[in-house]
Structures are given as C-alpha cells and as structure tokens.
Amino acid sequence: MEPTLWIAAALIGAGGVLALRQAWRKGSSGPRGVLILGGWTALAIAIALAARAGGFDVGAGIGVCAMMVFAYGVITAGVQIRSAKRRSPKPAADPLDASAGPRRPWRVAGRTLIAAVLAAVAGFTTAAAIAICLPAVPITRAMTAIYLLPILWGAAVAWALADDRLLRPTLALTLVSLASWGAIALKSLP
Amino acid sequence: MTKPIWPKAPPGFVRAMLASHSALGLFIAALCYLVCVTGTLAVFAAELDQWERPASAVDAAVSGPALDRGVVNALVTATGKVDSILVSLPTADSPATSLTVTDAAGERRYRIGQDGALIPAKAAVFTRFLREFHANLHAGRMGYVIVGLAGVAMVSLTLSGLLAHPRIFRDAFTLRWGGSRRLQEADLHNRLSVWGLPFNLIISVTGAYFGFAGILAMVITGLQPGGDSAGAIRATRFPPPKADPRPAPVPSFAAAAAFIRTDAAVADQAFTLALRAPGTRGQSLTAYAHVERRALYGELYQFPPGAPAQRMGYADGPFGLQLYAATYPLHFGSYGGLLLKSLYAILGFGLSVVCASGVSIWLVRRRDGGRPAPRIERAWTGMVWGALVGLGLSSFAGLNPALSPGWLFWGGLLASLTLAAITARPSLWLKGGLAAILLAIAVGYWRPELTPAARTIEALLVLGAAWAAYLFLRQARPREAP
C-alpha cells in the first residue's frame, strides 16, 4: 500500500508542477486558470497522499521538500541559454538600486535605529503578549510565541527599512509595543 | 488576453521594499551565507561522524548485560566525582554503541565492546567543529544569539523579497543563463527563493528559535513575574532530582531500554540514555526513544529510583510540547531518513546560493550603472569560495590531532580573502584550490572499512572536486576575441 501511495504522490506532484509550468509557458496569451488551479490542486493531493503514506509529519515533510526540489529540476531543464553580449556600462543610475539615490546620514542612522531597536522591542513584547494572553495551555502559548517572534520581528525590520518616513514606523512600533504591554498588564491583574 | 492573478504593486512600494531587502541583505549576507553553508553540511552530521571515525561504526548492538557492564566499567575507571554517563545505542544514522562519561577529568568517549569493555573512541573533530560552528560560531552563548539574528534577518529578507517581486508567479519558471549577468543572477536568486520558500521560512524560524527561546522566556518573566508561560518553556524536560550524595545502586540501562520497547504509547527503540549523578540517591536516568512516522527528536522517559517510569509526552502531549520536540528535526531534516536529508541538503545548498547571489546582484547592478566596486566584488568572491576552502581545510584536523579545525577554517578564509585582494581573477584560483583540497580530503580519509554512509561522503567529495575542477577549467579556457 505504502509504495503505491508514494508513487502516486510523486506522479501527481510532478504533474502539478508541470501543469504550473505549462500555465507559465502560456504567459498571458491563453486561458491559464484551469492549469493553475489544477496544478495547485494536484500538489495539495500529492502532499496529502505522501502524508498518508509516511505519516502526517514525515510524509508531508518529504512531499513538500520533494516538490520544491522537483520544481528546481524543471526550472533547470527549461533554462534559456543566451549568448554573452559585450555592453558598455550604463551610466544612468539604476532606479531599483538601493544605494544609488542620495542618502542623508541622519536618516540612515534613524532608520537603522528603528529597525535594530524598535522592531526588536515590538517583536519581543508582541510575542510575550501572545505567550501570556493566547487562550491555550502554557506550553502551546509559549511555543506559538517563540515561532511567531522571528516573523513579527522580521516583518517589523522589513517595514522599518522600507518606509521613507521615519515617524510612521516609530509611532506604529511604539504603539504596538505599548498595546502588547497593556494586554499583558490587563491579563496579569489579580 | 488574461489578467494576471497577482495584484499589481505600486512601483514606489516595490522600490521601497527592494531598498529594505538590499540594505538588510548587504548588512548580513556574509553571516547568513556562513550559517547556511555549514548548516547544509551539518545535515549529514551523523554520516560525517561515521566517515571521520570509521572504527566507531563497526560494532553493532551489544547485549543488555554487556551494556550494563560497560556503564559499571565507566564508573569504576572514572576520575573523581562522575557528573553523567551518556550511552548512545545503535540507530540507522549511527550504528555503534557508544558511552560518554563526564567526570572530574573532563569528557571522554568510548565504544562499548561485545563483552562490556570500554574502548577509547576517536573524537569526530571536524563534525563537532561543523555542528558547533553552525549552532553558535564557536562564540558561546552570544554566538547562539548572533546565529538567531541571522534567522530573524532571513525571515525579514524572505518577506521583503516576496513583496519586492510583483512578478513572482508570472516568472516562476524563468531562468536565463548567459547574456546579461544581472538577469542571470536575479533569475537564479528569485527562482531558488520562491520555490524554496517553505523550506527557507522553516529553517529561518527554527534557527531563530535556538537563539531566542531563552531570551523570550526572560522577557516574559520580566513582564509577568510569577506567570506560567515562561515556566512552561523551562518545563519541557523533567526537572533534575534533588541532589543526594548518599550511595545507591546504579540503575540498569538495559532494563530501561527494554521497558521502552514494550511501552504501548511509543513502543520503539531507545537511542540515548543519560544518567546524572550516577551511583547516588539523587541519580536520574532519562532516555530518548525514536517515534516512528513522527517529526520528533524523540519521546523522553524518566526512570526515578523506586518509582514507575514517566513519559514526557512529546509524542501525544499538548501541541506546544510536540512542537518543541519537532524543532530540532524540522531544522536539520533528521526525521525522514537519507531521502529527506538529501532533499534538505539540496534546498540548503539553494539557500546558500540565494545568500551569495543576493550580493552578486547588487554588485552587478552597480557595475551596470557605471559605479563598479571591484574591491567589494573580489572580497565577496573570496568570501563565497573561501568559506568552502576553509571548511575543506578544517576537515584535515580529523586526520591529524595536532591541527585545530578552527584555525584551519579561519586561516583558509583569511588566505582566500587575501588572495582575492591581490589577484585579478580570484575565483579561478579558489575554484582550482577547492578542487585540489576536496580530492586530497577524499584520498586522506579513504579506508577499506568505511561504512556505506561514509563511502557516500567520499563519493560526494570526489563529485565536488570534479565540479570545482570543471568550473576552474571552464574559467581558465582562453576566450575568443570579440
């Protein structure tokens, strides 16, 4: 039973990735909705079958990782080899180059401070609020908070570094920290 | 003409996100690259251990009486007060029965023979160096935090990278090679990032866990003194028993392992047994048992003296406890055999390439924009190839006890950076050097008694040497005049 399920999962998963690739090849010239929907559905079925074959944790883990590696293989197989061209350097500044525009040192320092300090404080206080206020048993609350900490913190860093204004992330991250601290204080009331 | 299904992001937003992505990426790329490369190799830590210490892998399981005799022998031959005795039983990853004793003279590792005799075991110097470097850069507690920061940064980079890429699904299979180097590097970076997204996020989040779980517990304690959340993080293991130095008989390791085999809740093989404060009334025997079809490090048992065995509940306890026990295997891919480890290694290699190509894209953009940074370009080449050269050199420490893997690694990396600074084509020489080093390692470690896992490592080394040699020869080939 298990080998059959593994083979079915592999074939359906491969079909799903290939369907998505077919949708990509059509570009914007034809109907792609069916291929995209079918591709993702096939991938979901393949992972479910792998979970059935190897146990939820192990099977789904292998299924998801195998899908990613197979997609790498499909991309490599479809590589477009181009001949090298000699071009003179483009003198104009690249609009997408973060280092190309004018920079004021105090803004860079401010942004770095917000990303390094305020984002960390907001991430930790929000995670602590989750660990204390989430309606679950203590260990589940704590583990949920630890797993969410890098996501909350990382998102705050990304935003702090992206926002052109300094005041907006400063205020927002401070408010988030205060709100989290307030939630903890309310929960801690006797 | 069909409309794209992904909402169109405003150009200003994309530019801001890309700026955030570039700023953070450039700041932390070298650290992320080192952590990813060592993590990719550390996936095969058990196999590397067999490769480095072939003699330690030849003994199969020993009998129960031999196991208990080995423990008694360890106590008899110990120096001064014994802190702990740890026994590792054979598993699919590690076929030997080994014993580690920690006493007043330090830590020593033995193999247990079929008659219970203790045979001193060679240390797996390189494997240990690799694992510790990946965990904390050999920088103690602060090292865990620094590596945890790399995890947080990688989550942040993943989020900003997704938001900075409005054509994420439309370009999902595009890979252009040759022609514009900028397009080539960007395609490689984006394809590996997008299709590796679930893996990259899991690795980053679990990596951050190792650095910040303890700190978050302290923050929670500070914000809610006396609360139960911080205590819950610390209560994921059995509390140590109260110290009582009065003598007591040593419990049977074999009986504990036999109990686990018959326990209906797990009914599987114990793989590690640890006895703290052995031979005293305050001693505590704990054991980890493998749980079939689960992504768990194992189930934890405790055998208190004169009381029934207790089970922690990693396999069937609250979700949080199961997640705690799943964190290590989720990070290292140790829950699905060699197949999953191989998939993890491929995806880990992909993540390392993402770290390296991110900086390359920035450098090519500068060059294309008429602002080349040749020194940084050479330094980054030295960093990317030098880390591999350094890791290769550090493995020679396993062949000669006089060599320090740390010195070899940092020396190799520093030499590579110096070479990059003084030569015009650093990648050429570093690729050639890497090929020679990998081949020398394969030859140096070859033994007829290598296990199948160790032979696979040898084969991978030869393949790696061939790949580096191919890159060297391709780059060394004289180019046609335009």
Side-chain angles (χ1 to χ4, degrees), chain A residues 2 24 52-53 55 57 68 72 75 80 82-83 90-91 94-95 97 99 131 140-141 143 146-147 154 158 162 188, chain B residues 15-16 20 156 170 174-175 177-179 182 192 195 209 224 228-229 293-295 320 327 362 365 368-371:
Chain A
E2 275 187 17
W24 165 79
R52 183 76 193 271
D57 307 10
M68 291 185 269
Y72 284 175
I75 290 166
Q80 304 166 29
R82 299 173 150 208
S83 57
K90 193 169 60 180
D94 180 353
D97 183 355
S99 63
T140 301
R141 279 189 265 132
M143 286 303 298
I146 295 172
Y147 267 68
S188 305
Chain B
R15 198 178 301 121
S20 160
S156 184
R170 217 185 305 171
T174 307
L175 180 59
W177 203 263
R182 177 172 155 182
L192 288 172
W195 282 103
Y209 170 96
Q224 193 197 35
D228 55 5
S229 301
R293 292 162 70 94
R294 294 296 308 276
T327 302
W362 179 78
R365 265 196 187 132
D368 285 356
R371 299 184 308 124

Side-chain angles (χ1 to χ4, degrees), chain B residues 393-462:
Chain B
L393 287 175
S394 66
S395 71
F396 285 111
L399 294 172
N400 185 344
L403 297 173
S404 152
W407 282 105
L408 287 170
F409 173 76
W410 290 112
L413 183 56
L414 195 64
S416 303
L417 288 169
T418 309
L419 185 78
I422 59 172
T423 57
R425 297 168 78 189
S427 64
L428 174 73
W429 303 113
L430 290 172
K431 286 167 190 169
L434 181 65
I437 289 167
L438 292 178
L439 201 59
I441 300 166
V443 172
Y445 274 95
W446 172 255
R447 303 276 184 282
E449 68 268 23
L450 287 180
T451 61
R455 283 169 190 255
T456 308
I457 299 282
E458 284 280 305
L460 287 173
L461 279 168
V462 174

Side-chain angles (χ1 to χ4, degrees), chain A residues 44-143:
Chain A
I45 292 170
I47 291 166
L49 285 174
R52 183 76 193 271
F56 181 78
D57 307 10
V58 178
I62 291 175
V64 172
C65 290
M67 176 202 81
M68 291 185 269
V69 171
F70 184 73
Y72 284 175
V74 170
I75 290 166
T76 309
V79 63
Q80 304 166 29
I81 304 290
R82 299 173 150 208
S83 57
K85 288 177 189 167
R86 258 183 112 77
R87 293 190 314 172
S88 55
K90 193 169 60 180
D94 180 353
L96 292 178
D97 183 355
S99 63
R103 285 177 298 177
R104 274 167 283 185
W106 68 270
R107 286 191 73 85
V108 173
R111 193 171 292 176
T112 306
L113 201 67
I114 296 166
V117 180
L118 284 184
V121 171
F124 269 101
T125 47
T126 312
I130 290 166
I132 289 165
C133 303
L134 197 75
V137 296
I139 183 61
T140 301
R141 279 189 265 132
M143 286 303 298

Side-chain angles (χ1 to χ4, degrees), chain B residues 107 228 245 266 339 440 460 470:
Chain B
E107 185 184 293
D228 55 5
V266 173
L339 170 64
L460 287 173
Y470 165 73

